[in-house]
Amino acid sequence: MDDVLEELFAVIEDRKETLPEDSYTASLFTHEKGENAVLEKLGEESTELVLAAKDDDHEEIAHEGADIVYHLLVLLAMKDMDLADLEAELEARR
């Protein structure tokens, strides 16, 4: 999974720099609401994950969980953080 997260984060960082017009990721960096757009998406996806878990819907749990991870990575990029920051915190909690 580390490779997938690293590859995804690299794409997010690239979209942040190049801002292609047809990219959803790039649109999050240029949204008129700024970082609030990503924070709202994290809240929305969190609620959807809770509902999927309540329904014991494994497919939706995976789908909404992936949405949360994606938007978390976008937030990290917005804050000029990277995966190493997240990994360091997780390691400290071992």
Side-chain angles (χ1 to χ4, degrees):
M1 182 150 163
D2 283 346
D3 290 344
V4 171
L5 291 179
E6 288 174 14
E7 289 174 22
L8 177 57
F9 194 72
V11 170
I12 290 168
E13 286 281 296
D14 179 69
R15 298 295 192 272
K16 178 182 172 184
E17 295 300 317
T18 60
L19 298 174
E21 287 186 29
D22 62 342
S23 167
Y24 171 72
T25 301
S27 75
L28 293 172
F29 289 103
T30 60
H31 198 282
E32 63 185 21
K33 290 184 177 181
E35 76 178 37
N36 282 349
V38 174
L39 299 176
E40 288 172 10
K41 287 300 291 182
L42 280 166
E44 173 189 322
E45 301 302 344
S46 295
T47 299
E48 291 174 0
L49 176 64
V50 168
L51 294 174
K54 184 177 178 290
D55 292 342
D56 201 29
D57 185 338
H58 292 203
E59 186 176 322
E60 275 301 298
I61 291 169
H63 179 85
E64 300 304 340
D67 283 347
I68 289 171
V69 170
Y70 163 77
H71 286 94
L72 173 60
L73 295 180
V74 171
L75 181 63
L76 290 177
M78 281 184 163
K79 296 295 188 179
D80 295 321
M81 298 173 69
D82 60 30
L83 284 176
D85 296 307
L86 190 59
E87 289 170 355
E89 180 60 29
L90 291 171
E91 284 183 15
R93 294 178 181 205
R94 275 187 170 169

